Amino acid sequence: MDLFAIDSDSESYSGTSDSEDQEECEFTYSDHAQSILSSLDESIGKIDNFLTFERGFLHGDIVCPVSDPSGQLGRVVGVAMFVDLETSSGDIIKDVNSKKLSRVRSFISGDCVVMGPWIGRVIRAFDLVTVLFSDGAKCEMLLRDSEALKPIPPILFEDAPYFYYPGQRVRIVEPSVYQSATWLCGSWRPGRDDGVVSHVDVGMVHVNWITSVTNVWGDKSSSPPNIQDPKKLTLLSCFPYANWQLGDWCALTVDDHGCLWMDSGKSCIVSEAWKCDSPGHMHLENCSSGYSQTYVVSKTKSTVDILWQNGSISLGLEPQTLVPVSTLGDYDFWPGQFVLEKLAVEDSARRQRTGIVRDVDALERTVNVLWISPAGSDTVSYGRSGSTVETVSAYELAEHPDFSFCTGEVVIMSAVNIEKSEADLTNGSLASRESLVTHSDFLSCIGNVLGYKDDGIEVQWANGVISKISLIQCQVQHFEIIGLDKLLDSSLESMHEENTAGDSVDVDEQEEMHHENANIALESTDCTGSLCKVTAFLFPKTAFDFLTNVASSLFGTHGSPSPSSVVIDTQYQIIKTVEMQTSADELPEEKQVVELVAKIEKPNLTSEDNISKRFDVVTDCSDHHFVKESGHESVTRSWVKKVQQEWMILQNDLPDGIHVRVFEERMDLLRACIVGAAGTPYHDNLFFFDIFFPPDYPHEPPSAHYHSGGLRLNPNLYESGKVCLSLLKTWTGTGNEVWNPENSTVLQLLLSLQALVLNEKPYFNEAGYDKFLGKADGEKNSITYNENAFLLSCKSMMYVLHKPPKHFEKLVKEHFACRARRILDACEAYLGGDLVGHAHDKAYISEDGSKNCSTGFKIMLGKLLPKLAAAFSEAGIISGQ
């Protein structure tokens, strides 16, 4: 538009020559071109600054080298940050050490705070705003409602992170504010409505109190009021200097003389509010403006120190050379970490050893551990000749549950009659319970974990003191620190267990009463002339008894194994015919039942019927997980029909590797066995599931319980037996993943367990982990998961051999008789280096480039293999192993 306007104006001058017009036009175009180029340079500069935006790391972050994403991991143990600051006028202060910065608000939402023995979380902070008026008057007002004080143009910051800030023009719209205001200079008078914010702080804080030190110690106390004076609160934080990000507002910390010492000798472009006496030394003079200066972080530059798993430390690394690791494997350990030795069931009589990790070989998954005597022993061998460093498999270690902390985690000291050491008396950080007499003394009992250091945990307490707590101190002096998150989790679990226990008692009582009532109903109900509700085994009593006798004469005595096809077809055809031939108030007589049975062809029994079948109908469900579930006594006719259809589908369509047993006396119960597929870490093992059809089936999906043996070998299968699957409504899902009453079947459930749960890469079954499929860190963790899953699968085999589920005893023996040699052969191949699931496949290479299984896996498998061979031998499956 401007160019067209210039052309138009130049043509309107009639008295000028063409040359003058041309010169003026060229001059004008030159000005515009210069302006455009200047703006372009400025835009390019901003783009360059944006492109140089570095990835920020915090203390405790897990990283790996860009050059080797599948190699060893590192933990950030140090951060050095320098920032560029921008003033409201656009001036820049370069290379300021982030440790010189402070927050513009003393408390913000989400902060963890301490008051006396209590720990809380800030819900909201209310602003205390100081307003300066044009006549020099100044007042201070606490604002609970932002409607009382309105910003007026010009607006300095369109996207300010805070509603009020220094330099902002405001207007008082609620006269009542004057009454509660504190006048620092002058007094209120009418018409004084507009002013400038000179200072903002926190005047009042709403805190949600979480717990207290005294509650942890067992001394109950009531929580303080939620609304608190910020002067009574202590902020609980660590490493605040490493948390600055682009766009953050901040203030500069000055020394006692009002000086800011710059950490760089580079020249700075500053506003007139700064007066430089000498390079790198500046005095803050801002008397004319009357308000405090606020800055915006315009650029950050940091370096990090990394502790690697092998124990080495790299100092001052550029963030661009590192990649963040979002998922940490279960068997990634760190130097200085406290660990426990995993004990097998047969070793339970031996004391569990406690150790401190010295270093880790991440590729081979081996750990050098300094073992110390377990708690409760008379002596502690740490630091003495008795202490030993041993190379062990990462798979035989577990994180110490009582001494496992994250950097920055809030901890509470729990101590009774602590005998203080000289070091403790010197720094005064570890207070005994009896010494706490004032509220401020509790600040030495609440703190943040800084990290592992010198075989101990370093903690910064709320009073600012830093101390180291060693594992030996915790064991010998009975000293303990408790993580706040773990404390809250355990409290919730306790409440849940109490509620569950109470509910289970009620359920048991109700079930017992329900069974008694059902028995009475069966014995006393007269069905003549009325419609009795059809259940899985409830016709008119005389008809049902007669049918039972007929079935016994045809197929054997009650309780003997019946051919599944006959039982299913018999029951299904009878019920189907009953539905077709009976009216709402009429049920079949004995004569009708005889006619129906006579139409059913007798089975042709062969010797193959005695071999373990894929599908069979059995009796005795006493060990079924859902045997106590109620509702089966009064199911509807449509329920019976649907379950019978499920039986028919299972009988006709079960694939290889799935075996099912249904129960003659309880149609609502089912037990399934799935054979682990080749190419997976579960190959050749047997996995058992108990399934329950609820009374409102199929409108609600069945329930499932996994026979875990106390082992967690899959993300979807818990030690408790819980099966996490969208089809069971125990996890979220969409489309075909969720249960559809019209189309979903138990066969679909079993196929999902076989193909989707017990798959080749179960690590990615974990919620959200599918996005790491094909990525270096994801594939690395997947191989580790497979190695451990196979080790657990071997233990599961021994458990199944020792305690096979009822009605599958024969199948278990037959299966392992056929597969034992192959299983042991695969173990030997793995000991030779083959990857799990790919025995004797030397050409197979995993997606992360691995060709061989880890040394740590071989160590554990070498210990496990003789036990597995012995279990086969004891079961009479093989000999001489």
Side-chain angles (χ1 to χ4, degrees), residues 26 56 81 285 360 364 449 488 562 593 661 697 706 748 855:
E26 287 177 354
M81 179 181 287
E285 295 182 357
V360 179
E364 296 298 338
V449 173
L488 297 178
S562 303
V593 174
R661 302 290 180 265
Y697 183 83
Y706 165 58
Q748 180 187 351
T855 300

Side-chain angles (χ1 to χ4, degrees), residues 22 54 64 78 564 603 631 741 853 856:
Q22 185 176 358
E54 67 175 17
C64 65
S564 57
C853 57

Side-chain angles (χ1 to χ4, degrees), residues 327-343:
T327 57
L328 192 62
D330 292 334
Y331 298 95
D332 283 316
F333 296 100
W334 304 90
Q337 188 176 8
F338 303 149
V339 291
L340 287 175
E341 177 189 26
K342 287 184 179 178
L343 293 179

